[in-house]
Amino acid sequence: MTTLFHPDAGSPLEAVRPLIALLADEAARTDAERRLTTASVTALRQSGMFRLGTPAAYGGHGADVRTAVEVCEELAHGCAASSWIVAIAYGGNLFASQLPDAERATLWKDDPDTFVCGTANPSGTARRTDDGWTLSGRWPWISGIHHAPWTLLGFTWTDDEGGGPERGMALVPTSALTVDDVWHMAGMRGTGSNMAVVEEVYVPDSRVISLTDMANGSYRRRHPDEPRITFHLSINLPLVATAVGIAAATLDRVVKAATEGKRAVSPLYHLVAEAPSHQLNVADAAVLIDTARLHLLRAADEVDAEARAGHRPALADRARLRMDAAHAMRCARQAVSLLLDTAGAGSFADGSDLQRAWRDIETASRHAALSVQTSKEIYGRALLGAELPPSPVI
């Protein structure tokens, strides 16, 4: 399939920069239509953004987490929803890359830009059928479901020895699903994170991913030349980058307005840029964004180093890395709040880019996998040597 991307055209980050203006032009329409516009999807696809997580053996970037983080932060300067979907595509393709080669070829042999969306949260029901599973039920909040040809659906089962429930994901053609339009949200509207409805869909074992097997490194034996992914860190860090990008873009807008002579409403100063209160606000916001970025890049670099070595980070390190991600998300949200104090009430007008940024970051930062409260408790337990439940998602 024809694409404008060519492996010799430069890095993925270099391919992002020409997209920003187009994505920014489409952002309001994306928000209103509650999914990416055709123009945005086409541009992202032709620039190779959907192949970030596609294995290099199938024409993809096989990008490391730091690359995905840098790309998603930059994309958010144009459109937060587009950035989020690219992060979802990266994570979905990392998941799917754990499958046997026959299934990977089905996905990517003819089209490296094919991407996978989905949810790891178990829902619906799964009934053992021959050499696979028959799934039925409803799976909410699947970002990118309008654009991804394949969808991963989380489910649980009991192993043959009667142990505790196992968690996994089943790969299903999106064409076999019904999409229920439930994504009516204040922010991140353009992600189109609607609900998958499934009725008696059979999935062979070859298209099922066990979270336990992923965590213990079993799948890397299938593909020893590829980095080992660390669920959930490899998947979620690019999502945090979207929030950092929202905050950085907000800083750019607020600083630009102030330095171009925005008038102050204070009786003490004529211009916003002259007011110490706003100078302090902007400085605090910039430091928060830097703090978020530093934590995020440190986490990405550490996850990548472990992945290349074929290791899973130790439990204490995973707890810290999870806290890094949640803290970065919180810093980004706090930065936007400070910047809107300086930008003023006009920022909340309908149609304002700043209002959309506020809505988007307030929504994105509440993603369950990036909860500060949960991450803090896990990290605190790890620091104090308190027991943590055995789980492939910690």
Side-chain angles (χ1 to χ4, degrees):
M1 183 168 292
T2 302
T3 175
L4 296 182
F5 170 77
H6 187 275
D8 296 329
S11 70
L13 189 57
E14 290 170 333
V16 166
R17 294 182 179 122
L19 299 177
I20 302 304
L22 181 148
L23 295 178
D25 286 344
E26 295 292 312
R29 205 159 24 251
T30 290
D31 188 71
E33 295 179 5
R34 295 183 300 113
R35 67 182 70 180
L36 301 190
T37 65
T38 299
S40 293
V41 172
T42 300
L44 292 168
R45 180 182 177 86
Q46 291 181 337
S47 299
M49 295 299 102
F50 293 145
R51 62 171 68 182
L52 283 177
T54 305
Y58 292 92
H61 288 295
D64 58 18
V65 176
R66 184 180 179 117
T67 298
V69 162
E70 291 176 338
V71 164
C72 289
E73 180 183 341
E74 191 73 17
L75 284 170
H77 283 253
C79 172
S82 295
S83 171
W84 190 269
I85 297 304
V86 168
I88 291 294
Y90 175 73
N93 285 12
L94 285 189
F95 278 133
S97 70
Q98 309 304 294
L99 294 170
D101 272 319
E103 298 295 352
R104 300 195 329 164
T106 298
L107 287 171
W108 297 307
K109 181 180 178 182
D110 298 324
D111 185 5
D113 297 296
T114 292
F115 77 91
V116 179
C117 67
T119 175
N121 289 329
S123 189
T125 62
R127 185 180 74 254
R128 188 69 181 162
T129 307
D130 300 326
D131 294 325
W133 300 89
T134 297
L135 273 60
S136 294
R138 300 168 70 84
W139 280 259
W141 315 140
I142 301 182
S143 301
I145 196 168
H146 294 289
H147 313 295
W150 295 86
T151 301
L152 285 163
L153 302 175
F155 71 106
T156 60
W157 68 89
T158 301
D159 63 32
D160 294 336
E161 298 178 358
E166 292 284 330
R167 286 183 59 180
M169 294 176 290
L171 183 68
V172 177
T174 306
S175 59
L177 315 173
T178 300
V179 179
D180 194 359
D181 186 2
V182 298
W183 188 247
H184 299 272
M185 305 293 283
M188 299 302 289
R189 293 173 177 170
T191 62
S193 305
N194 281 306
M195 179 179 290
V197 182
V198 178
E199 293 185 14
E200 295 288 296
V201 171
Y202 172 73
V203 183
D205 285 335
S206 60
R207 291 183 178 174
V208 172
I209 300 165
S210 161
L211 297 190
T212 298
D213 287 345
M214 187 187 307
N216 65 27
S218 296
Y219 294 135
R220 190 167 191 265
R221 291 193 285 271
R222 288 176 176 168
H223 314 294
D225 296 332
E226 296 174 11
R228 174 178 173 175
I229 74 168
T230 303
F231 180 75
H232 53 88
L233 294 164
S234 300
I235 309 301
N236 287 341
L237 291 176
L239 297 176
V240 180
T242 296
V244 177
I246 293 170
T250 302
L251 176 65
D252 289 346
R253 289 190 179 101
V254 172
V255 167
K256 184 175 186 292
T259 56
E260 289 181 351
K262 181 178 179 179
R263 295 184 62 183
V265 296
S266 166
L268 303 177
Y269 300 96
H270 179 63
L271 299 176
V272 166
E274 296 173 341
S277 58
H278 293 309
Q279 294 164 4
L280 296 174
N281 251 11
V282 168
D284 283 343
V287 171
L288 282 166
I289 294 167
D290 282 344
T291 299
R293 188 179 291 117
L294 288 167
H295 276 84
L296 183 56
L297 292 178
R298 181 182 74 168
D301 286 342
E302 190 167 335
V303 169
D304 283 336
E306 296 282 9
R308 286 189 292 269
H311 300 153
R312 186 188 192 202
L315 177 59
D317 293 326
R318 296 199 306 275
R320 173 176 50 79
L321 291 165
R322 181 177 184 140
M323 191 68 239
D324 278 348
H327 181 64
M329 183 69 92
R330 180 173 58 181
C331 286
R333 186 173 76 201
Q334 290 173 338
V336 170
S337 180
L338 286 172
L339 290 166
L340 291 176
D341 286 344
T342 287
S347 307
F348 297 89
D350 287 342
S352 164
D353 290 340
L354 291 176
Q355 190 219 62
R356 187 170 62 250
W358 169 65
R359 290 189 284 107
D360 285 345
I361 203 162
E362 290 290 331
T363 302
S365 61
R366 267 73 179 195
H367 191 287
L370 300 165
S371 164
V372 171
Q373 290 81 4
T374 301
S375 298
K376 193 182 296 185
E377 182 179 357
I378 290 171
Y379 189 35
R381 285 194 187 192
L383 287 171
L384 295 172
E387 185 176 357
L388 282 163
S391 170
V393 302
I394 293 179

